[in-house]
Amino acid sequence: METTPENTAHGYIRAGDKEKLRHRLRRIEGQVRGIQRMLDEDAYCIDILTQLGSIVAATEKVGLLILKDHMDHCVRHAVERRDEADEKIEEVVSAVERFLRV
Amino acid sequence: METTPENTAHGYIRAGDKEKLRHRLRRIEGQVRGIQRMLDEDAYCIDILTQLGSIVAATEKVGLLILKDHMDHCVRHAVERRDEADEKIEEVVSAVERFLRV
Amino acid sequence: METTPENTAHGYIRAGDKEKLRHRLRRIEGQVRGIQRMLDEDAYCIDILTQLGSIVAATEKVGLLILKDHMDHCVRHAVERRDEADEKIEEVVSAVERFLRV
Amino acid sequence: METTPENTAHGYIRAGDKEKLRHRLRRIEGQVRGIQRMLDEDAYCIDILTQLGSIVAATEKVGLLILKDHMDHCVRHAVERRDEADEKIEEVVSAVERFLRV
């Protein structure tokens, strides 16, 4: 899926949500760096696994927030205007499918 | 699970694997930063979701490499020496359970 | 979430999809019975695990088909009529969240 | 992975665990049949999704019980006897990998 100029013009994600997402992403980035430190310090494998699981869950949470915004704006607008509604619905379901890796 | 001094002394993860893990973690860190940029540039939500899914998969792959090393060293040694084998097996299965979030 | 009379009246899932879903569910049911037989016959654990993983993937695939139908009908209609659109969007995102167990 | 005669001879899964597993599998089978009924009765999609999620979680729980038994018996014995320990460890990690679908 390419980022088209038309898409980037929208700015679907609400300013308030963006701030929240940035905060969460900075935390995830910090957790990933934390694991590099745990490796350097020969931390116990099980502790590293626990931290990795927490990164996975936090990343999926960010995905859900973005899915919510996408449904609230892009999918909703396409359906309201009956403009590419089928394509948008198909697209978001495929995105969930890739996320679940089914 | 606390990191005990005895645990850190081991350094279970092989030097070669550590280098590979560090490389992967730096890539994941870069991907997380990339998503912050995508947010700043109002990238298309579906593109962001795809990238987040790729971070999740890469993080789980790192988890599997660490699980493999943990089984190869810590669990194997505990079983060979019959020293806390039950505890180690219980612990690693619980770690997989938390990872699967069942 | 209760099944309201109004909901059951709709029959959101298209007849053609229903037939496909029934076919898949019967296959999953057969796989679950197959695992009971594997247990009786002392099949190798790893073979059982592989079969269980295949049931998980097949069940998630059924979930995606139902999600798709739900988006195509229920969510789309709510948005087109501007009737409980917020609630329907909120509800479907929560359903994905529970499915991902985040 | 083939079920070899040698493997079936073991009967790795403890009798007590087998009874518990059979009970859980019968419940999962009942849930799968319940979803076929929900389809026939035009149940609400979100209710069906919730039930499918519960089947996924229950199936993964069964997988974890079998993983635990496999580690307790097969992997442990291979390591204790230093007989195909590498193969058994490799095999169980690959099984977790397939389960996570990474």
Side-chain angles (χ1 to χ4, degrees), chain A residues 3 18 42 47 60 91 101, chain B residues 3 18 42 44 47 60:
Chain A
T3 304
K18 261 194 188 172
D42 287 324
D47 296 342
E60 291 185 345
E91 182 186 69
R101 292 198 300 266
Chain B
T3 303
K18 262 195 186 173
D42 287 324
Y44 188 46
D47 295 342
E60 292 185 345

Side-chain angles (χ1 to χ4, degrees), chain A residues 1-3 7-8 11-13 18 21-22 25-26 28-29 32-33 35-36 39-50 52-53 55-57 59-60 62-64 66-67 69-70 74 88 91-92 95 98-99 101, chain B residues 1-3 7-8 11-13 18 21-22 25-26 28-29 32-33 35-36 39-50 52-53 55-57 59-60 62-64 66-67 69-70 74 88 91-92 95 98-99 101:
Chain A
M1 166 58 53
E2 277 299 296
T3 304
N7 285 332
T8 54
Y12 309 103
I13 298 172
K18 261 194 188 172
L21 289 167
R22 270 197 208 95
L25 287 164
R26 275 195 301 265
I28 292 171
E29 198 190 322
V32 177
R33 266 201 300 271
I35 287 177
Q36 290 171 277
L39 270 183
D40 291 338
E41 296 163 2
D42 287 324
Y44 189 46
C45 299
I46 297 291
D47 296 342
I48 301 179
L49 274 175
T50 302
L52 288 167
I55 290 173
V56 167
T59 306
E60 291 185 345
V62 169
L64 275 163
I66 286 172
L67 177 70
D69 259 326
H70 184 65
C74 186
K88 288 301 178 195
E91 182 186 69
V92 76
R98 281 197 303 279
F99 221 82
R101 292 198 300 266
Chain B
M1 167 57 53
E2 279 298 295
T3 303
N7 285 332
T8 54
Y12 309 104
I13 298 173
K18 262 195 186 173
L21 289 167
R22 270 195 208 97
L25 287 164
R26 275 194 302 264
I28 293 171
E29 198 190 322
V32 177
R33 267 201 300 271
I35 287 177
Q36 290 169 276
L39 270 183
D40 292 337
E41 296 164 1
D42 287 324
Y44 188 46
C45 299
I46 298 290
D47 295 342
I48 301 179
L49 275 175
T50 302
L52 288 167
I55 290 172
V56 167
T59 307
E60 292 185 345
V62 169
L64 275 164
I66 287 172
L67 177 70
D69 260 326
H70 184 65
C74 187
K88 289 300 178 195
E91 183 186 68
V92 76
R98 282 196 305 277
F99 221 82
R101 293 197 300 266

Side-chain angles (χ1 to χ4, degrees), chain B residues 64-82:
Chain B
L64 275 164
L65 286 172
I66 287 172
L67 177 70
K68 177 77 165 57
D69 260 326
H70 184 65
M71 293 280 297
D72 269 345
H73 294 266
C74 187
V75 178
R76 180 200 294 255
H77 291 169
V79 173
E80 282 178 354
R81 297 171 194 156
R82 295 166 201 242

Side-chain angles (χ1 to χ4, degrees), chain A residues 71 86 89-90 92-94, chain C residues 10-22 24 61-78 88 92, chain D residues 39 42-46 48-49 52:
Chain A
M71 294 281 297
D86 285 345
I89 288 172
E90 178 79 43
V92 76
V93 173
S94 296
Chain C
H10 283 186
Y12 307 105
I13 298 173
R14 276 172 294 214
D17 283 348
K18 260 194 189 173
E19 207 33 69
K20 198 201 285 186
L21 289 167
R22 270 196 207 96
R24 288 185 182 223
K61 271 279 184 205
V62 168
L64 275 164
L65 286 172
I66 286 171
L67 177 70
K68 177 77 166 54
D69 260 326
H70 184 65
M71 294 280 298
D72 269 344
H73 294 267
C74 186
V75 178
R76 180 200 293 256
H77 291 169
K88 289 300 178 195
V92 75
Chain D
L39 269 183
D42 286 325
Y44 188 47
C45 299
I46 298 290
I48 301 179
L49 274 175
L52 288 167

